[in-house]
Every structure is written in structure tokens, then in C-alpha cells.
Amino acid sequence: MELSNLNIEKYLKQNGIKPSYQRIKIFEYLVKHRNHPTVDIIYQELVKNIPTLSKTTVYNTLKLFLEKRIIQLIVIEENETRYDADITTHAHFKCEKCGRVYDIRVDLTEMKIEGLKTFQVKENHIYFKGICEKCLKENK
Amino acid sequence: MELSNLNIEKYLKQNGIKPSYQRIKIFEYLVKHRNHPTVDIIYQELVKNIPTLSKTTVYNTLKLFLEKRIIQLIVIEENETRYDADITTHAHFKCEKCGRVYDIRVDLTEMKIEGLKTFQVKENHIYFKGICEKCLKENK
DNA sequence: AATTAAAATGTAATGATTATAAATTGTCAA
DNA sequence: TTGACAATTTATAATCATTACATTTTAATT
Ligand SMILES: [Mn+2]
Ligand SMILES: [Mn+2]
Ligand SMILES: [Zn+2]
Ligand SMILES: [Zn+2]
């Protein structure tokens, strides 16, 4: 199922999450923007339309989504936790100029790693840092 | 030059770092243990022999080492920053049972990533999570 | 409508990191 | 050798993201 045309209420239910108004809006934000936001970004954007929203609710909800495995955590910088509703295997690129986090499609099937044979791998994470195309063009 | 048989004082000087007693001991800790420690681990271990050591010094020193690019930052969990004196390209595996962070040798040369062509990549980071061999054996 | 459980909220506490200022140490010319 | 200056270390306070806790609100059930 594509994230973009998803019945969010149904999707939350399917994953054992009661679809409250706040939960729907938070998940909807992740799906619609796909910008790998921090808690603060989500809160600042949603509180415009939900004035009673509490940042604690955003924290609680994201923690619940993580437990139910419908989002993933992205940690690139220390003290900057981001969230992603795309739970397929993909890498990220963070631009050190503009701060944007891009999705990067990688093929991991070919990557056989000798040193991991005896380990039980549950998650893999790949990310890059540098300067994005947009910023490279602007600084010319 | 192998990290293991390194003249630390010389190495720091070569990289534009005045080799104070604290700086030597902190770098020596990283090289000798290769355990990807947190600031707190470094501090707790060294303060045994350097009772006057301040945690601020550990923070300041690691920041300096990072600026001079003789160590790298490892961020796997949120709110758990680790440090590594091995600055060659390699991946990490963190065991969710015992918490150890292992070095994993990967060959990145074969990994050509379509989506990065137009970006200027300065750093790449790969890490895995799961259960390590040692813990798998113990829980049988 | 009353009861109960679940969810959201507001506020306080925690803990890692950073900022700041004072103390200590190292350098070097007089 | 001493005194002055700079670099480094230290102690303490401030910051900020996250978590804990208690209260209020909302939803579900009888
Ligand atoms: Mn993504
Ligand atoms: Mn390593
Ligand atoms: Zn950019
Ligand atoms: Zn283990």
C-alpha cells in the first residue's frame, strides 16, 4: 500500500492504534510532508490548527507509533531525533547547509557483509552528510 | 600508521593539538579500548587515575579532536553519543542485549548510489542493530 | 446519565550538553 | 628566576530535549 493514498484512520486501526484526532493528524503530517521532522517541527505545525495540542502528546504518540512499528526513528545528528512514516529500507542524506533530509534509495541486497554472519541483524541504517544539489547550485 | 602502536603525543602534535596530559590520556583511552565509549564512560574510567579530571575537559577535548578530525562521532541511539579514534570507513553493530558496539568492515566501493550523483557527499555512516554472537549463544 | 477506561494536557523532573568564569598550568622574554 | 601573558583545566550554572507524573478531558460501556 502506498503511503501517499492511504486511509490513515484504517491504517492506524489495522496496526492496533485507536485513531484519535491527534494521532490521525500527527500521522497525516508525516505522510503528507515526508520531511523527516523533529518533534518540535511537528508540534509547531500542528498547533496552528490544534491550539490545545500538547507537545507531550506528540512525544507519546510518536513513541506509540514506534512501538507499533508504523514509523521509524532517524538519528543523524546528536540531539536531533527525527521521524519517518516510510518504514521501507532506504538511506538518508542530510545537507549541512540547508538542513534538509533527503530519501536515498539504496540496494542493500548486494551488500553481503562478512563480519555480520554470526550476528542477528534486526535493523540497518545508512545515512550520508554533505551538500545537496540545491545548495551546490545556489553557492556558485 | 596503525592506531595500536602509535606515539600518541607525536600524533596529536602532527594534527595541531598540544598534547596535554589530559588530552593524551583521553586519546589513549580511545585507542587502547576501541569500545566506542560515551563521554561518561571515558570520564568514569579516567577519573580513577586522574582525580582532578573534569567532565567538561572530556567534552572540550573530544570536541577539539573532532574539529581536528582525529576521531569520529557515532550516533546510534538518541541521546547516546559515542566516539571512535578509528576514522577509517567502517560500519558498526550495536547489540540491543549487551549494549556493545562492534566494528564491522564493509566494502563501500561497490555501493554506487544513483540518488547521490548530484550531491556532494562528505561523510557516510552505516550501522546495524540486533543481537550479537555472544548474546545469541548465552540465551540458548 | 453514571461509571470506567483511555487519551490528552500541563507542569515538574531528569539528564546530557554547553556556556561562563575562575583557577591552574605552560611559555617565554626580561 | 621571575613576572606577564596565553592556553588549558576546572567548577558551576544555564540550556534544552525528553520523560515522569498528576490532572483534566474525552470516549466507551452500562
Ligand atoms: Mn526517509
Ligand atoms: Mn568503530
Ligand atoms: Zn541543502
Ligand atoms: Zn550482545
Side-chain angles (χ1 to χ4, degrees), chain B residues 40-57:
Chain B
D40 203 59
I41 291 170
I42 298 170
Y43 172 75
Q44 295 301 341
E45 285 304 308
L46 293 187
V47 79
K48 292 174 183 171
N49 296 315
I50 316 170
T52 60
L53 184 65
S54 161
K55 198 178 275 190
T56 305
T57 299

Side-chain angles (χ1 to χ4, degrees), chain A residues 3 11 13 18-19 26 36 38 40 48 50 55 58 61 64-65 70 76-78 86 88 91 93-94 109-110 120:
Chain A
L3 272 183
Y11 187 66
K13 273 185 198 158
K18 197 172 295 182
I26 290 169
H36 313 95
T38 61
D40 203 59
K48 293 174 183 169
I50 316 169
K55 198 177 276 190
V58 182
T61 302
L64 176 65
F65 289 173
I70 64 167
I76 296 179
E77 311 280 355
E78 49 178 345
D86 182 351
T88 65
F93 177 95
K94 174 161 184 183
T109 55
E110 66 189 58
Q120 182 186 336

Side-chain angles (χ1 to χ4, degrees), chain B residues 36 74 84 86 90 92 103:
Chain B
H36 312 97
I74 302 174
D84 193 347
D86 182 351
H90 64 285
H92 292 104
D103 282 325

Side-chain angles (χ1 to χ4, degrees), chain A residues 25-135:
Chain A
K25 287 301 174 188
I26 290 169
F27 195 76
E28 186 181 75
Y29 180 86
L30 289 169
V31 170
K32 290 239 172 94
H33 294 81
R34 300 166 153 283
N35 55 346
H36 313 95
T38 61
V39 163
D40 203 59
I41 291 170
I42 298 170
Y43 173 76
Q44 295 301 340
E45 286 303 308
L46 293 186
V47 78
K48 293 174 183 169
N49 296 317
I50 316 169
T52 59
L53 183 65
S54 162
K55 198 177 276 190
T56 304
T57 299
V58 182
Y59 276 106
N60 290 342
T61 302
L62 292 169
K63 177 172 284 188
L64 176 65
F65 289 173
L66 282 171
E67 282 164 11
K68 299 297 188 181
R69 303 197 185 286
I70 64 167
I71 64 171
Q72 67 166 317
L73 208 74
I74 302 174
V75 189
I76 296 179
E77 311 280 355
E78 49 178 345
N79 297 327
E80 189 185 82
T81 306
R82 295 168 175 273
Y83 299 87
D84 193 346
D86 182 351
I87 50 175
T88 65
T89 293
H90 63 287
H92 293 103
F93 177 95
K94 174 161 184 183
C95 176
E96 54 195 36
K97 289 276 183 215
C98 65
R100 262 184 285 258
V101 175
Y102 294 83
D103 281 326
I104 307 292
R105 294 295 144 190
V106 295
D107 183 15
L108 282 185
T109 55
E110 66 189 58
M111 192 169 73
K112 300 188 193 71
I113 296 172
E114 198 66 11
L116 283 176
K117 279 183 309 193
T118 54
F119 289 9
Q120 182 186 336
V121 178
K122 294 187 178 175
E123 292 179 36
N124 55 62
H125 298 263
I126 302 181
Y127 65 88
F128 305 89
K129 290 190 192 179
I131 302 176
C132 76
E133 184 173 15
K134 190 184 275 259
C135 287

Side-chain angles (χ1 to χ4, degrees), chain B residues 1-3 6 8 11 26-37 62 65-66 69-74 82-88 90 92 103:
Chain B
M1 169 62 110
E2 273 295 317
L3 273 182
L6 186 71
I8 289 173
Y11 187 65
I26 290 169
F27 195 77
E28 187 181 74
Y29 181 86
L30 290 169
V31 170
K32 289 239 172 95
H33 294 82
R34 300 167 154 281
N35 55 345
H36 312 97
L62 292 169
F65 289 172
L66 282 171
R69 304 197 184 286
I70 63 167
I71 64 171
Q72 67 167 316
L73 208 74
I74 302 174
R82 294 168 174 274
Y83 300 87
D84 193 347
D86 182 351
I87 50 176
T88 64
H90 64 285
H92 292 104
D103 282 325

